[in-house]
């Protein structure tokens, strides 16, 4: 794939990558940095991309791996945020439409429930159900077998159902 074509095609996924970065970091400046680092790595290693494979999944895999690397470094550096403000109150779905009343409450409850899931459950659910990745591409991003992805999605949905069971009666 020619360099200009690769760059053009890669940049078509910038919004989806930013959404995923916001989900992972819950911090706009960190999400910007993560997307920038993802593109730096993707462009630097473009020669490793296999033409005919799923570019979007490859970019998501780079973003996730970059996040995990930075996350591990950051955890070692500081266990507590400088300002003492927890990051769990930053919206996970930052680009959700404005909502009022019950819809906003349900959206907030869904975000809280999602945060209670283990990372590997949240991520597969986000990639498969929100981003619409096929299961084989989710498996590639997560570096695990498709069967594991299916199992994690099932278990994530089961846990969400349990956490949100009050909505069954509404």
């Amino acid at each position: 794939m020619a360099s200009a074509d690769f760059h053009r095609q890669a940049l078509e996924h910038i919004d989806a990558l930013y959404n995923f970065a916001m989900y992972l970091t819950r911090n706009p400046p960190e999400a910007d940095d993560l997307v920038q680092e993802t593109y730096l790595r993707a462009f630097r290693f473009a020669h490793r991309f296999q033409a005919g494979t799923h570019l979007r999944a490859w970019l998501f895999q780079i973003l996730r791996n970059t996040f995990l690397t930075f996350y591990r470094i950051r955890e070692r550096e500081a266990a507590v945020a400088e300002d003492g403000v927890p990051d769990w109150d930053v919206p996970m779905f930052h680009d959700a439409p404005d909502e009022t009343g019950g819809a906003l409450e349900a959206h907030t409850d869904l975000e809280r429930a999602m945060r209670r899931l283990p990372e590997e459950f949240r991520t597969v659910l986000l990639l498969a159900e929100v981003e619409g990745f096929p299961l084989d591409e989710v498996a590639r991003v997560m570096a695990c077998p498709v069967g594991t992805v299916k199992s994690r999605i099932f278990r994530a949905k089961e846990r969400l159902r349990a956490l949100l069971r009050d909505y069954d009666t509404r």
Side-chain angles (χ1 to χ4, degrees):
M1 179 180 304
S3 181
D5 285 343
F6 177 82
H7 289 164
R8 183 186 49 74
Q9 289 177 16
L11 289 171
E12 290 175 6
H13 304 289
I14 196 165
D15 290 337
L17 288 169
Y18 181 78
N19 287 339
F20 189 49
M22 273 299 296
Y23 157 75
L24 292 172
T25 65
R26 292 176 287 211
N27 180 307
E30 286 184 23
D32 289 337
D33 291 346
L34 184 56
V35 171
Q36 181 177 356
E37 184 66 26
T38 298
Y39 277 108
L40 284 173
R41 290 176 184 210
F43 293 157
R44 183 180 314 137
F45 298 107
H47 63 281
R48 292 186 183 172
F49 177 71
Q50 297 174 350
T53 61
H54 202 267
L55 177 60
R56 185 175 177 196
W58 188 70
L59 292 168
F60 269 75
Q61 184 176 23
I62 293 170
L63 188 141
R64 181 174 182 270
N65 291 342
T66 302
F67 169 76
L68 292 175
T69 299
F70 287 150
Y71 178 77
R72 287 182 193 115
I73 291 169
R74 191 174 59 215
E75 269 200 342
R76 276 186 251 134
E77 289 175 353
V80 179
E82 288 178 21
D83 58 5
V85 177
D87 65 355
W88 47 260
D89 63 348
V90 178
M92 181 182 301
F93 303 111
H94 70 284
D95 60 349
D98 291 335
E99 300 168 339
T100 58
L104 180 59
E105 180 182 339
H107 191 261
T108 302
D109 289 345
L110 176 60
E111 285 190 11
R112 285 185 185 135
M114 288 285 290
R115 285 193 187 104
R116 293 182 64 188
L117 296 176
E119 184 274 329
E120 66 270 12
F121 290 0
R122 284 191 315 256
T123 302
V124 296
L125 203 56
L126 179 77
L127 292 174
E129 301 296 331
V130 177
E131 292 297 332
F133 275 95
L135 296 179
D136 60 327
E137 297 296 338
V138 175
R140 181 174 177 204
V141 170
M142 299 296 294
C144 66
V146 173
T148 302
V149 169
K150 289 178 182 179
S151 173
R152 288 178 181 172
I153 289 172
F154 175 80
R155 293 183 352 216
K157 287 179 178 180
E158 287 297 307
R159 288 189 183 187
L160 280 177
R161 279 186 197 98
L163 292 168
L164 298 170
R165 70 177 153 260
D166 293 341
Y167 284 95
D168 287 342
T169 60
R170 289 184 184 181

